Amino acid sequence: SLKLNFKVGYRVNFGQTIAMIGSGDALGNWDPKRSIAMKWTDGDYWTVELNVAPGRSALDLEYKYVVVNSDGHIGYWKPGSNYKVTLPLNSSGSKVPKRVKVADAW
């Protein structure tokens, strides 16, 4: 499996948190009830580490960030296009990484 470390900066209101939703089992298959909670860090950055099982030839994920209200329901989705992580694996004998860091801007 491959470790993906996601980081996004965004300030929310007290009691709100940030989560991720996206394609594939690791990101809940776009099901809001299966969103992945992120952890707040200094500077209003939110982070999470996911273990994903890449496909045979590539890792291809699409995802979005959402603001989760204190009641656990999604307040709103980040506007705009989906984010995407695509990593070719085993192409031309290249080494498969064990960890990839993904830094996004809201």
Side-chain angles (χ1 to χ4, degrees):
S1 83
L2 171 68
K3 290 185 187 305
L4 289 176
N5 292 97
F6 291 91
K7 177 179 180 180
V8 66
Y10 193 68
R11 178 171 290 183
V12 295
N13 295 323
F14 183 79
Q16 291 179 319
T17 59
I18 300 289
M20 294 178 69
I21 301 174
S23 62
D25 286 337
L27 289 168
N29 287 309
W30 295 108
D31 181 353
K33 294 184 181 102
R34 295 177 55 204
S35 65
I36 308 301
M38 300 183 79
K39 181 181 172 192
W40 182 88
T41 60
D42 285 342
D44 290 318
Y45 286 100
W46 295 84
T47 63
V48 70
E49 180 176 274
L50 299 177
N51 289 312
V52 296
R56 297 183 107 168
S57 60
L59 170 72
D60 196 7
L61 293 175
E62 278 192 64
Y63 60 96
K64 280 205 122 150
Y65 296 102
V66 294
V67 173
V68 180
N69 292 328
S70 57
D71 64 3
H73 291 95
I74 292 175
Y76 55 95
W77 294 61
K78 182 196 173 300
S81 300
N82 294 344
Y83 289 98
K84 194 168 195 171
V85 172
T86 303
L87 293 171
L89 302 175
N90 294 332
S91 60
S92 67
S94 62
K95 188 176 175 185
V96 177
K98 291 193 181 344
R99 179 183 308 266
V100 174
K101 293 185 178 186
V102 180
D104 291 316
W106 189 287

